[in-house]
Amino acid sequence: MNVAQKLISSHLVEGKMNAGEEIAISIDQTLTQDATGTMAYLEFEAMGIPKVRTRVSVSYVDHNTLQSGFENADDHRFLQTMAGKYGIYFSRPGNGICHQVHLERFSKPGQTLLGSDSHTPNAGAVGMLAIGAGGLNVALAMAGEPFWLVMPKVMKVILRGSLKKGVSAKDIILDVLRQLTVKGGVGKIVEYTGEALKNLTVPERATITNMGAELGATSSVFPSDEQTLAFFRAQGREDEWGELRPDKDAVYDEQLDVDLDNLVPLIAAPSSPDNIRTVREVQGTPIKQVCIGSCVNSSYADLMIAAKMMKGKKVHPDVSLTVSPGSRQALQMISENGALADLVSSGARILESTCGPCIGMGHAPPTGAVTLRTFNRNFPGRSGTPDDQSYLCSPLTAAASAVAGVITDPGEVLTEPIIIPLPDKYIIDDAMIVPPSPEPEKVVVERGPNIKPFPVKEALEESLTSRVILKVGDNITTDDIMPAGAKILPLRSNIPAISEYVFSKVDSEFTSRAKASGGGIVVGGMNYGQGSSREHAALAPMYLGIKVVFAKSFARIHKDNLINFGILPLTVEPEVYDTLEEGSEIELPSVAKEVKESDRITFIDKKSGKTFTTLHGLTQRQREIILAGGLLNYVKYKA
Ligand code: MIC
Ligand code: SF4
C-alpha cells in the first residue's frame, strides 16, 4: 500500500477502498477557525452532545481579528466558552494561524484530521490524512461520526534532485500547479515520494501539502520519516512521532515528476493559482505591495529567509512590505534571535500572527496595483481591492522584489543559497492554548448579539419550478459566491446579515433578485465552488431560497456543502449549459421521486419547452440527505 491507502485503511469504517466508491473514515482530530467555527459550533451544540468524541479538537482564532466592531470580539468569547465547555482546546487570537499552529503543536503521523478550512491538508506534511470540509461535517466528526467521502485516486509525485539557489518549496508546488491546474487534483490524494524528500524539512513539506488545496485535491501527504522525527524532536514531541512509509511495491493510480535540479523560481500571475510563469518572464514589473505570511509560507524558516534577504537593506520606497508570522512560536523565535530586528529595520510592517491580508482583513493594495504575496490564493478581488493584480511567489522572490521595487528573480541577486536548517529546539510555550475546562458544567457559553441561530430547510419538495437568476462561467470560487474581507467576514455567525452579500462582487443585484423571486437557480461552469471550505457559500444561498445549482462540474468541498444544506447540485453537459439562460424558468416535475428512485433527474426549460435529463451522481446517503432537506435534518431523522 501507499501512504494514503495505509491511512485510509487504518480508519476505514464503511465502504471499500476502490477509487470512486463512497467510504467512511473515523476522525481522530478536528480543527476549526473562527470564520467557519462559529457556525460549526452552533451546529455541534444543536446535536446535544456533552463533550467532543475525538482524540483532539482545537478551535483557532486567526481569520477575524480586526475587531472593528463588537462582532469579532463576541465571536471570540463564544468560541472560547464553547471550547471550555465541550472539551476543545482553544488557541487564542494572536497565537497563530490554525494550520501552522496545528502542525507545530498537535499534528500526529498516522492520524486523521478534519478541519473546517480548505488548507487543512497542510498537516499532511507529517504523514497525517488531513482533509478540509464544511463546518457541519466537522461538527459531526466532533460528535464522533465518521466522515464520508469518495475514495480518491492516489497520485504519486516523484521529487528528484535538489533545490538550487533562489528556488524553494513554494516553487515545487507552483510547478505541480502548472502541470495539473486548479482542477487537476479533483478526486485525488497527492502523495509525495522520491530521493529529494531526504532534504525537505517538515515546514517545506507543509508549503507543498498546503497548496494541494489549490489543485482541488482531497488531500496531499508525505511519508513520516527521519525529517518528520527531527521536526517532532525540535517541537519537544518526539514521543508523538511514528514512522509511516509506502511499501516498496506500493501501487499508485497516476504519476507526476518534478525535477528539482531544473526548477527555477516560479510565480502565479493574476488571478488564478495555476496561472504559472517563471519569475524571469515577469521580472521588472513594478510592485506596490509585498506580503510575506499566510498559512502556506509563514514558518520560522520562511521568516528567517525574509530576514536574511532584508538584513542591512531597505524596503523600496514605492513598496509596502507586510510580514505576518504564522505562529507565536515563529514570532518568538525570530524575536529572540534578532531576525525580527532586521525585518523592522528594513522597513517591514510587522502584523499579527493571523491570516490578515490573505483574506482581505486589512492591507488591501492600492487601486490596480501589483501585489506580490507568498500566499496560496490570488482570486480576483480577494485582497480587498477589486482590480488587484495579485501574484503568488516564494518568500525568497518576495523579499528580493521588496528591496528592488520590481519583480525580481532571487537567483540573480543571491551569491549563494540561503539555507535555514531546522532548529534543534523550537521555543515551546503553549500559554496561548487554553485547555478544555476541568469543570465544564460551570462554563456559561457567551453569545453576543451578532450570533444568530442557523437556518434550517424543509424536506425536498415533490416538484420544483424556479428561475435561473444567475449564470456564471468556469472556476467560480467560493470567494465569488460568498466574499470574505474586512466588511463581510465579521458577519459569519449571522446568516440573515451575510446573505445580503451573496455573489455581491459578481452581480450586486443577486440578493434582491433572489428575494424578489422567492429563490432561484444558479448555473455555473467547470469547477464551480473551488477554493474555500466556507459553508456560508451554501448556507446563505439556501437562506435566499436557492434550490438547485446546475454546473459543468463541482469542486469537492463545495458540492458537499450544497448537499449538506439541501441544495441539489446537478452536473450538466456543456450543450445543456449553453441552452440555460438567465431568466429561464425551469421545472423539475418529479424531483423528489427521481432523487429517491432514479439515477437521473428530469427538468424542463419552460421557455424552449425542451426536456433534459441528467445523471445526478448522488450516493445513496447523499440522496437521503437531499430528500431530508440537508444533513442536520438527516442526522435527526436517523437518530
Ligand atoms: C480561505 O483561505 O479562503 C479561508 C478563509 O481560509 C477559507 C475558510 C473560510 O472561508 O472561512 C478556506 O480556505 O476554507
Ligand atoms: Fe488563512 Fe489565508 Fe490560510 Fe485561508 S489561506 S487559512 S485565509 S492564511
Side-chain angles (χ1 to χ4, degrees), residues 387-432:
D387 58 353
D388 58 7
Q389 297 294 310
S390 180
Y391 289 74
L392 309 174
C393 65
S394 71
L396 278 166
T397 305
S401 307
V403 174
V406 293
I407 296 180
T408 302
D409 184 329
E412 292 185 8
V413 290
L414 286 172
T415 45
E416 54 189 53
I418 295 184
I419 292 163
I420 310 292
L422 197 81
D424 292 336
K425 201 114 213 85
Y426 287 98
I427 296 172
I428 291 146
D429 169 6
D430 290 331
M432 294 282 276

Side-chain angles (χ1 to χ4, degrees), residues 33 62-63 97-99 117-119 210 214 293-296 354-359 375-377 382 534:
Q33 40 88 341
D62 52 2
H63 281 61
I97 307 176
C98 55
H99 308 302
D117 191 282
S118 63
H119 291 105
N210 178 295
E214 276 55 66
S294 97
C295 57
V296 64
T354 60
C355 302
C358 176
I359 191 60
F375 303 171
N376 43 28
R377 290 187 172 145
R382 180 175 160 101
R534 61 190 72 149

Side-chain angles (χ1 to χ4, degrees), residues 29 97 213 245 261 276 317 338 347 401 408 451 474 487 490 524 552 574:
Q29 303 193 354
I97 307 176
R245 297 178 195 265
D261 288 332
I276 306 295
S401 307
T408 302
I451 297 163
D474 291 346
K487 189 167 151 204
K552 292 187 202 165

Side-chain angles (χ1 to χ4, degrees), residues 429-482:
D429 169 6
D430 290 331
M432 294 282 276
I433 299 175
V434 186
S437 169
E439 293 178 303
E441 60 295 339
K442 292 205 176 134
V443 180
V444 178
V445 175
E446 294 176 29
R447 252 173 264 261
N450 189 43
I451 297 163
K452 297 272 185 286
F454 56 88
V456 275
K457 198 177 169 288
E458 301 292 307
L460 181 68
E461 297 89 334
E462 289 303 318
S463 68
L464 272 177
T465 303
S466 201
R467 256 180 220 292
V468 174
I469 57 168
L470 182 71
K471 181 173 178 179
V472 287
D474 291 346
N475 291 324
I476 284 293
T477 72
T478 43
D479 279 289
D480 296 318
I481 305 169
M482 186 72 263

Side-chain angles (χ1 to χ4, degrees), residues 118 132-134 182-187 213-218 377 379 474-478 481 524-534 538 549 551-563 569 571 622:
S118 63
V182 291
K183 301 190 280 287
V186 175
E214 276 55 66
L215 298 166
T218 303
R377 290 187 172 145
F379 301 145
D474 291 346
N475 291 324
I476 284 293
T477 72
T478 43
I481 305 169
M526 299 284 279
N527 200 25
Y528 180 83
Q530 68 161 328
S532 156
S533 68
R534 61 190 72 149
V549 178
K552 292 187 202 165
S553 69
F554 291 88
R556 175 187 65 89
I557 305 179
H558 186 59
K559 184 173 180 184
D560 281 351
N561 282 336
L562 288 172
I563 296 169
T571 310
Q622 290 173 332

